[in-house]
Amino acid sequence: MSDVTPADLHHLIVVGHPDRNSFNHAVAAAYADMVRQCGQSPTIRDLYAIGFDPLLRSTERPESKGFHLSPDVEWELELIRTASVITLVYPIWFGMPPAIITGYIDRVLGAGLTATAIRHNQPHEMLANKYFVLVTTSGSTLPWLAERGQWEGMREAFDSYLETIFSFAEVEHEHLDSIVSPLSPDYAAQCLGRVADRARFACSAVLCRAHEQQKIEKLKHYQERGSL
């Protein structure tokens, strides 16, 4: 049983912004750069660039008689299966994530998940114990969002609720507010520094968890060999 190394750990970074020159893309790049510096491997998935279809088909709902997953969803799920950390990077528009992000949750993260499984708190076979990181931006300030109840509403829906139904080990959220054009270089650098710190923390947390899990598995292996 070989020891887990940083190179064994993968981060899937999903970006939901239509402009390839957006600050959100700079955020995703900064996050990925820090992951590489930590010796782990990132994959950036630009949903707009790949033409991801956010519309859930009736046959993709697990309750439907003809239930089956579409090929594009199967491809995304393969990326998720090998990821230790899933990071979503997106702006907040009109108090909500872009439709392409909610569509990704509907079609990919929620693939095959039934209402019965949610009601009975059944662990999500594919997502259980993975780390989930949200990096969001808004043109408005955080206090402005909080005054209107939008911040707490989004935290409940996209942090607490998704953590529970998808069985994530942990959910972290880094929000960057007052992201407006033109953005001062100093503030941009400060925000990207916070993103790098968040990525570094995620790398450390997932590596520590992998080492702990390996210790448990080794102990179990030795105990089973000793009982033979």
Side-chain angles (χ1 to χ4, degrees):
M1 184 181 297
S2 59
D3 291 336
V4 175
T5 68
D8 298 319
L9 302 175
H10 307 282
H11 296 242
L12 177 61
I13 306 165
V14 180
V15 188
H17 195 290
D19 184 355
R20 295 186 183 185
N21 297 315
S22 71
F23 188 68
N24 279 251
H25 284 77
V27 164
Y31 191 102
D33 286 344
M34 179 52 67
V35 169
R36 293 188 191 95
Q37 289 181 40
C38 291
Q40 300 178 21
S41 61
T43 296
I44 296 179
R45 201 73 173 142
D46 183 342
L47 296 182
Y48 282 97
I50 65 173
F52 178 77
D53 183 358
L55 299 181
L56 180 70
R57 296 161 176 76
S58 61
T59 53
E60 292 175 339
R61 302 185 69 235
E63 294 86 356
S64 68
K65 292 183 179 179
F67 169 69
H68 69 276
L69 297 179
S70 301
D72 63 329
V73 172
E74 291 281 12
W75 179 259
E76 300 302 326
L77 291 178
E78 283 303 312
L79 296 175
I80 286 177
R81 288 188 181 97
T82 60
S84 301
V85 182
I86 300 169
T87 300
L88 302 186
V89 179
Y90 60 88
I92 294 172
W93 289 332
F94 306 108
M96 298 176 289
I100 205 164
I101 287 290
T102 55
Y104 181 85
I105 293 171
D106 285 346
R107 298 189 65 216
V108 180
L109 296 185
L113 184 62
T114 65
T116 300
I118 294 174
R119 284 200 308 272
H120 293 284
N121 296 317
Q122 295 176 6
H124 193 294
E125 182 178 347
M126 180 181 58
L127 300 178
N129 298 320
K130 294 183 186 292
Y131 277 76
F132 190 51
V133 180
L134 300 172
V135 184
T136 56
T137 64
S138 67
S140 304
T141 65
L142 190 55
W144 189 91
L145 292 172
E147 285 174 5
R148 286 150 182 80
Q150 293 178 331
W151 180 245
E152 284 304 316
M154 287 184 292
R155 291 274 293 182
E156 285 297 318
F158 271 72
D159 295 30
S160 302
Y161 185 69
L162 293 186
E163 180 178 11
T164 300
I165 68 169
F166 290 148
S167 314
F168 289 123
E170 191 169 340
V171 173
E172 297 290 337
H173 194 155
E174 187 72 42
H175 182 69
L176 310 172
D177 65 351
S178 300
I179 304 300
V180 294
S181 182
L183 193 61
S184 77
D186 287 345
Y187 184 57
Q190 177 187 333
C191 289
L192 295 179
R194 287 167 54 191
V195 171
D197 288 343
R198 180 65 65 183
R200 186 187 299 109
F201 176 84
C203 289
S204 176
V206 76
L207 182 60
C208 287
R209 184 177 181 84
H211 283 161
E212 288 298 322
Q213 185 61 37
Q214 186 171 57
K215 288 179 182 178
I216 294 172
E217 292 174 357
K218 283 185 176 181
L219 180 59
K220 181 179 179 181
H221 174 70
Y222 294 142
Q223 289 174 336
E224 289 176 347
R225 289 189 61 184
S227 64
L228 294 178

